[in-house]
Structure formats: structure tokens, C-alpha cells
Amino acid sequence: MVAAALLCGLVAAAATGLSAAAARRRAAPHRQAHTLLAAAAGVALVVLLVGVAVAFSAAGHAGHPPDRRTGWAGVVSIGTAVSGLLFSAGLLRLPGVASPAAATARLALDGLVMAAALWFVCWVLFSEPTRLLGDATPMACVPILLATVAAALTTGLAVIVAFRAPPPRRFPAGVGAGATAVTCGGLGVAAGLCQAGPGVALVGAGVLAAGLLLAALAARGVGAARQAPLDLTSRDGEYAFVPMFAMAASAMYHLLQDGRFDALGIVAGSVEGFALVARQHLTLHDVRGYAARLAEREAHFRELAHTDPLTALANRRGLLQALHRCAGAPCVLLGLDLDGFKNVNDMRGHDVGDAVLAEVGERLRANLRPGDLAARLGGDEFAVLMCGCPADAERVAERLLGVLGRAYDQPEGPVFLSVSIGVAAWDGEPDVELLLRHADLALRYAKQRGKNRIERYDAAYDQRLRRRTTLEHELRGAIERDELRLAFQPVASLPSVRPVGAEALLRWRHPVLGNVGPDEFIPLAEECGMIARLGAWVLHQACYQLSRWLADGHDVWVSVNVSPRELHAREYVVQVAEALRAHHVPPQRLVLEVTEHAVATDLDELIRRLTALRATGVRIALDDFGAGYSSLGQLRRLPIDILKIDHSLVAEHEPVRPVDRDGPAFAPMVDIVMRLGHQLGLEVVAEGVTTPTELAAVVAAGCRFGQGALFGWGVPAEHLEAMLEAATSPGARPAAVPPASPTPPPRRLPALPAPRLPEQESTQVEPGA
């Protein structure tokens, strides 16, 4: 027995040393738990040494008074209780077991529920009338009750930690099992001292030492476990049914055995009840806190769902919500769009663009009335909802026009923008979607009319939009429905006014809409991407008609207008070549007309495209010269063959007579362009000749070809064919054809000579021309 006692002491001392060493090695955040475990091991070691020493002393002196043994048993019980409490505290402070204070309280209450039930069941089994140990039951040793409470509490807490700790659970479970063994061993030592004898005390010492060793080894394996977040929806309350069922079953058994409930049993039951109530109160508190946090987050996310994150203004959803709230009340909606904002993103970068948008939001908030709502609908589009006083809308819009048009200071330099504003109000019954649509239409109209302006919604906008939408829809099937036709406006040789060529003009007659003007559907085709398809149709139809005229022996050429989008398409040169080949048209008989507006784009790219087209043999005409952006330098570089003088130059001035010589009056601007074209090796066609006076003036200026209402409007192919037949009938004079110039002469620009006044063949217009 002495050897066994020494072995227990050595094992306990070694385990205590291991616990102390582990506490010293641990880092600051986890040192507290291991310090508590080491302190519990130290107290348990003292309990073991005192208990074993007293047990052997009592065994050597048989006449040792019972009161003295009971006193030592009380000391051991107190030490066991202290050790158990320290072990419990250390268990709760282990990494990952229960980090927040609320989690620690929950685990402590759960352990108390288990401990009270366990103690009550043991009380039923070991008290009258059951007395499971019979005469060995230490009924007269009241001090060991404290040890039994410590053992029950440690056991209950160890069970809860083993089931509730996050994985891996084996190390916290090992520490809990060791703590349970220590308190149970201490209870055995106290019971041996009080009544059972040194054998029971020695067994208790062995269990205590083994528990210390197990706890020390398990504590060395505990690492920095991750603390699982609190999940109030997890089902972790089933444990409460087990202790309650055990208490109810044991109480029923006790009553069936004619047992009585003394103060200890009542206290145990009360502790169980209070622990359960406290646990439910804590759970209710957690649920309330969770519900409050959930409501706060819901409000936060609802605000985010209705707020633009960049400008902190309302977004489209927030604007719609506000519109529905004020339905029925007088209100006005302003739609705002920043003019030229895309250039800011392209040239300065999106960071600068975002900074400008954020400042726009600040300026809107600072310049609105209380109760007004500003919103960012997306990109550079904003809206302002004004409720209560629609009469102030124009004044507020004027103020915003000036405020948002001021410079936006940025580190790389100020940014200058303007804003277009559309204004709309309720029209009859409140309709949110209709109000948004009206504001958008007014805003679109403001941008179409030059931007940086305010436009109020008008019902005519709806009519224009509906017509535009209808035209776009119907235009997509116009070719298949055979609704398109070509009209040919003659180009006449001057001064004989005989037709020598024609310009192909596209016409559209819809069975319901009637005649749709080209100034209406051509821009629409460019916007909706239909222009390339229409241009291909026009090119083939013109080549087809030209091939028929040439086959009939008419000496004629046809010009086709080319849009900038067609011209910059890579496949357009191939399309032209294929059309010429398919209809067997000599290339020099086809003229492609390019407007001056196309020159305003990328000049170098335009030159490359025109050069590739001229390589196919076709001729290039610069249309509307004098009304666009061409400069003399650009004119020298452009690979063109024909200049078509705009009507504004033909009709701009009254004809003048030459100075210091006799001769007919001539158009001075036409004369200048004529001499310029001849010096550059270009043929010149005067457009828009509408009166005999204009005809006489352009002829006097030396222009050999003319086009305009005086020679005929755009007519069907058969009408132009009749004109060609009349021109080639017996007695008619042959008409000249503009010479093809596949290779232009050198483009030097010499000094202009004096005005050349050619003799007129005739200034009279043939009847019916």
C-alpha cells in the first residue's frame, strides 16, 4: 500500500509538473486556461498527499478519534471542490470551447443542469430507502457532500463540453474526463477518511492521480481551435430532456420505495429548476438580440437596395418607391442627363468619372428643397422628384442647370459638363410608369434640340416617338415587302440641258404610312443599323438599271450616295466590285457620292477607303461642297474626281457682271469653285439649279454640268429613260459625259487665273425639261 501511495504521489506530481510547464509555454491568449488547469492540478496534488498521509496515519493509530477523521475528510472535500471549480473554469476557458461571455454562461448553466440531475439521481440511489452501498454508505459523513457536489458539477460540465466543443473534440473531452476523475478520486479519498478506511482512500488517490495525468496529457494537445459562430437555429436543447427524465424517473422510483424528500433532495430539484429557467432566459435574451440584429441588418440592406452606392442618392428602386408613396399628390419629375460624360470616362478614366458623379450627387442634395428626392438612375442619368408645389419645378430646374454646369475640380484639371433636363408632371390619373416615360421623352427631346436646356413634356413627343418606333419596325421589312423604289434625278449637260447622267435617290412608299421622306427614314436607318442593308440594295438596283440603259445604247452614268458608315465598312469595296461584276457595268459609269460631313471624321482612313474604291475603276464625287467641313488642304488630299457644288453657293448671291469687259452675269462662288476644280483636275457639277437665272449664272461661270429642279425632280426609271430617248432622237445634239479619271493629275494648286467667260450656247431651257 505504501508503494502504491508513493506511485500515486509521483504520478500526480509529474502530471502537475506537466500542467505547469504547459502553462508557461502557452502564448498570452491561451495561457489563462492552462494556468487554471495547472492550479487545479496543484490543489488536487495537495488533496492527494494530505488524504494519503491522514489515511495511513489513521490506519497506524486505531484509536484515532472519528471527529478528527471527519475534519480531515472535510478538508479533503473542500480541496476537491476547489480543484473541481478550477478545472471547470479551465475547461470553459479552453481555446474554442466558449469564447464570448454569453457562450460561457450557456455552457455553465448546461453543466449545472446535468450536475443537479446527476446529484439527485445519486442521492436517490445512496439514500434511504435504497442505500445502494448498504452499510458502506457514508451517511454520517456530512462534509463529503461538498465533494459530491464538486464531482457532479465537474462531470456534468465535462459531458457538455465533450458534446458541444467544436471539432476536434478529443482533447477537450480528455481534459473533462481527467477533471471528472480527479473530483471523483477526491470524493473517494474523503469517503475513505470519513468511514470506509485506507483502502478506499488509496483507490481514490489512484483515480485522482490517473485523472491528473490524463488532464495534463490532453491539455498539451489542445490547440487554437476556431470559435464557431452562434447559431440560434441549431437544435442543441435536447440534452435538457435527459436530465429531466432522469430526475422524474428517480423521483418516481423513490416515492414507490416509500422514500422521503428531505432538504437535500428539495435543494437539488430547485437548483435544477432554477438552472433551466436561467438557461431559457439566456436563450430568450440571445433570440431577442439576434432578432434585433436581424432587423437592423434588414433595415441596412433595405436601405442599400434603395440607395446608389456611389452618390448615396436614391436609386431607381428608391425613386419608384417614392413615386408610389406620393401618387395622388401633385408632383413633378425632373429627368437629368450629363452631356458629354462619356468623354470624361474615355479621356480621364473611370475614377475621375466616379468622382464627378459623386460631386453631382452632392450638388443635387445641396440645391433641393426639403422633401425633394434626388436619385441616380444609372450611368450619368439622374432624376429629381418634387412633391407639393409643381410651380417651383421650372425655377429649380433652372437652378440645377446652372449648378451642374459649373466646373468640377479634379487633381488632373477641371472637368466641364452641361446637363439636359426634361420636366414632366402627372397627366390625369397618377401613373408612375407613365410619368417616368414622359420625363424620359422630355429629356430626350432636350438632348435632340441641342442639349444644355430644359424641355417640358408635350404630347407631341409621344406622337414622334410612336412614329419613329413604327418606322423603325416597318423599315426592317420594307425590302422584303417590295416597298422601296429608286428615283433618278437627271444630271444635265450645260448649256444644252440634255441628260447625261442621273443620281439614284431612295424612295419608300408604305401601304399605310404613305410616302416616307428620305430625310426621315435615312437617319433612322443609320441609327438602327439598317443603312448598310439599304445601301447594298440601292447599289444593286442602280447597277441593274444602269446596265439596262447601257444595253439600250444610252450614253449615261449613275451616281449613288454612300453613307459614312457604309464607307468605313471593310466589306464595302468588295460589295461595289461584286455589284459591278454581277450587272456587267463598266466601273467608270458608276459614281459614288460622299458628303462633306464624311470628311469631318477620320480623314486618313477616309482617304484609304476612297483610294481602294477608285482602284475598282469607279469615280468618286464630293457632294454638297461648300456646305460642310472641307478645307483646301483636305481637297488636295482627297482622291476624288467630281465636285458637286452645294445649292447654297449657287443661290447665295445675285449674279454679277464681269468688271472692265462685256459678258453675261455669272455666279462668283461657282466661278471660284469651277476654276479651283479645273486646277485640281476635277469635273464640277452645280447642284440645286432651280431658276433660269441660276442656270445662266452657272453656265457663265463655266460649269459644264448641272442638277436641280430646273432639269427635273427624281423620277422613275422609265421616265428618265424617256428623257434619254428624247435626247438621242434624230436632230438632238450629243451630250457630253464627264470624263473618267482613274488616275488623277498632280495635285498642285497654282494661282487662280482671271475669270474665264465662255460663250453661251443657249440660256433657254427646253420645254418640258
Side-chain angles (χ1 to χ4, degrees):
M1 293 181 66
V2 173
L6 290 175
L7 180 60
C8 291
L10 290 175
V11 171
T16 303
L18 287 175
S19 297
R24 286 195 299 271
R25 287 196 304 270
R26 293 290 174 172
H30 308 306
R31 185 176 296 170
Q32 183 181 6
H34 291 276
T35 301
L36 290 172
L37 294 178
V43 174
L45 176 62
V46 173
V47 166
L48 185 147
L49 295 177
V50 170
V52 170
V54 172
F56 278 105
S57 175
H61 300 82
H64 215 289
D67 292 341
R68 188 173 180 183
R69 292 198 305 271
T70 302
W72 283 110
V75 171
V76 171
S77 295
I78 293 173
T80 301
V82 172
S83 178
L85 290 175
L86 291 174
F87 267 118
S88 298
L91 269 174
L92 293 175
R93 300 305 298 172
L94 283 177
V97 173
S99 179
T104 303
R106 281 193 297 273
L107 283 181
L109 287 174
D110 292 342
L112 183 59
V113 169
M114 296 293 292
L118 179 61
W119 192 95
F120 183 82
V121 171
C122 292
W123 174 81
V124 169
L125 293 178
F126 294 112
S127 64
E128 295 288 349
T130 302
R131 295 193 67 181
L132 188 63
L133 296 180
D135 295 337
T137 303
M139 298 297 297
C141 194
V142 178
I144 68 170
L145 288 175
L146 191 59
T148 61
V149 172
L153 183 60
T154 306
T155 303
L157 187 60
V159 171
I160 293 298
V161 168
F163 284 102
R164 298 285 298 277
R169 296 188 177 94
R170 61 180 184 275
F171 296 114
V175 175
T180 300
V182 168
T183 53
C184 290
L187 175 60
V189 172
L193 293 179
C194 186
Q195 182 175 336
V200 175
L202 187 59
V203 172
V207 174
L208 189 150
L212 286 177
L213 183 61
L214 176 61
L217 294 177
R220 290 170 61 88
V222 176
R226 179 181 60 86
Q227 175 64 37
L230 175 64
D231 184 8
L232 297 179
T233 63
S234 62
R235 300 178 61 185
D236 59 355
E238 291 85 349
Y239 71 91
F241 292 98
V242 176
M244 288 302 299
F245 178 78
M247 289 187 69
S250 59
M252 185 62 67
Y253 168 79
H254 191 66
L255 290 175
L256 292 176
Q257 296 296 323
D258 296 330
R260 294 183 177 182
F261 290 99
D262 56 8
L264 295 177
I266 294 174
V267 168
S270 301
V271 169
E272 179 78 5
F274 280 117
L276 286 173
V277 171
R279 181 65 171 86
Q280 295 304 314
H281 175 74
L282 187 59
T283 301
L284 181 60
H285 180 271
D286 291 338
V287 170
R288 286 175 176 172
Y290 177 77
R293 291 193 299 274
L294 186 62
E296 181 180 352
R297 291 178 182 178
E298 182 182 1
H300 175 66
F301 287 125
R302 185 181 292 110
E303 181 180 359
L304 288 180
H306 294 81
T307 304
D308 176 63
L310 179 61
T311 61
L313 302 176
N315 58 13
R316 183 178 292 273
R317 189 180 291 108
L319 177 64
L320 290 174
Q321 186 182 54
L323 282 170
H324 284 290
R325 280 201 306 264
C326 74
C331 66
V332 176
L333 183 63
L334 308 183
L336 301 90
D337 190 87
L338 301 178
D339 304 324
F341 179 76
K342 184 178 183 299
N343 295 331
V344 177
N345 278 335
D346 294 342
M347 303 302 297
R348 297 286 192 92
H350 288 275
D351 292 338
V352 174
D354 290 347
V356 170
L357 291 176
E359 188 171 348
V360 169
E362 294 177 0
R363 294 185 185 184
L364 284 176
R365 278 191 296 269
N367 289 274
L368 294 180
R369 308 171 309 170
D372 293 344
L373 176 71
R376 180 186 176 216
L377 305 183
D380 59 349
E381 189 175 353
F382 295 82
V384 174
L385 178 62
M386 303 173 57
C387 295
C389 189
D392 293 340
E394 294 290 343
R395 180 175 53 82
V396 172
E398 290 286 351
R399 184 168 70 245
L400 293 179
L401 194 69
V403 168
L404 299 180
R406 293 201 293 262
Y408 297 84
D409 294 328
Q410 297 297 321
E412 298 83 0
V415 174
F416 296 94
L417 295 172
S418 62
V419 62
S420 300
I421 301 178
V423 182
W426 294 121
D427 185 12
E429 291 296 326
D431 188 330
V432 171
E433 294 299 331
L434 187 61
L435 180 63
L436 286 170
R437 182 172 174 272
H438 288 176
D440 187 61
L441 285 176
L443 175 59
R444 181 187 301 183
Y445 194 58
K447 296 184 76 68
Q448 290 177 351
R449 296 192 63 185
K451 305 178 180 179
N452 193 29
R453 60 186 295 122
I454 301 169
E455 288 292 338
R456 180 175 283 274
Y457 169 77
D458 191 295
Y461 301 164
D462 261 337
Q463 298 174 3
R464 296 191 189 101
L465 180 62
R466 289 193 184 96
R467 179 170 176 83
R468 184 190 185 282
T469 304
T470 303
L471 288 177
E472 179 179 348
H473 180 268
E474 295 298 321
L475 183 60
R476 295 186 182 278
I479 296 177
E480 289 76 8
R481 295 190 300 269
D482 196 26
E483 297 172 358
L484 299 180
R485 294 289 184 273
L486 285 186
F488 296 90
Q489 185 175 28
V491 177
S493 173
L494 302 181
S496 65
V497 298
R498 297 170 61 187
V500 294
E503 179 179 354
L505 304 173
L506 183 59
R507 297 292 183 259
W508 179 21
R509 180 174 179 79
H510 191 272
V512 177
L513 300 175
N515 291 322
V516 183
D519 56 342
E520 186 176 11
F521 72 84
I522 293 297
L524 181 61
E526 292 180 347
E527 291 179 16
C528 68
M530 281 282 296
I531 192 64
R533 189 178 173 198
L534 293 181
W537 185 87
V538 170
L539 178 64
H540 278 275
Q541 292 294 320
C543 288
Y544 168 73
Q545 187 60 54
L546 178 59
S547 68
R548 290 189 58 183
W549 287 335
L550 294 176
D552 292 340
H554 299 298
D555 191 9
V556 68
W557 48 273
V558 171
S559 64
V560 174
N561 291 284
V562 183
S563 72
R565 183 168 296 184
E566 288 181 278
L567 192 61
H568 287 83
R570 296 182 179 275
E571 64 275 8
Y572 187 68
V573 177
V574 178
Q575 290 179 2
V576 171
E578 289 179 351
L580 293 172
R581 183 170 56 254
H583 300 287
H584 307 286
V585 172
Q588 68 273 14
R589 295 288 180 170
L590 179 65
V591 177
L592 300 179
E593 295 191 13
V594 182
T595 63
E596 271 198 299
H597 296 282
V599 182
T601 58
D602 189 350
L603 181 62
D604 294 332
E605 179 65 19
L606 177 65
I607 291 174
R608 285 193 292 268
R609 295 295 178 187
L610 294 181
T611 302
L613 285 171
R614 292 187 77 218
T616 64
V618 301
R619 289 177 294 171
I620 307 297
L622 183 61
D623 197 11
D624 299 332
F625 180 76
Y629 305 92
S630 297
S631 65
L632 295 180
Q634 291 174 340
L635 194 61
R636 294 178 60 187
R637 296 181 58 193
L638 288 175
I640 59 176
D641 304 281
I642 302 172
L643 279 180
K644 300 191 73 173
I645 307 175
D646 187 71
H647 171 66
S648 61
L649 297 185
V650 175
E652 183 178 8
H653 302 287
E654 290 292 331
V656 299
R657 294 190 176 274
V659 181
D660 298 333
R661 67 172 64 188
D662 295 331
F666 65 95
M669 297 302 296
V670 176
D671 182 77
I672 293 173
V673 175
M674 278 294 307
R675 288 186 286 121
L676 174 64
H678 290 163
Q679 292 294 336
L680 292 176
L682 306 176
E683 191 60 71
V684 180
V685 178
E687 288 189 298
V689 179
T690 58
T691 65
T693 303
E694 293 175 355
L695 173 60
V698 297
V699 169
C703 186
R704 298 201 301 146
F705 300 96
Q707 181 180 352
L710 190 62
F711 313 118
W713 296 102
V715 294
E718 56 270 19
H719 291 186
L720 183 63
E721 187 172 355
M723 297 172 64
L724 293 174
E725 291 285 354
T728 57
S729 61
R733 289 172 295 179
V737 179
S741 53
T743 306
R747 297 305 182 97
R748 294 184 301 171
L749 187 64
L752 294 177
R756 181 171 56 88
L757 302 177
E759 297 182 359
Q760 300 186 33
E761 295 184 12
S762 172
T763 59
Q764 301 298 322
V765 181
E766 297 180 3

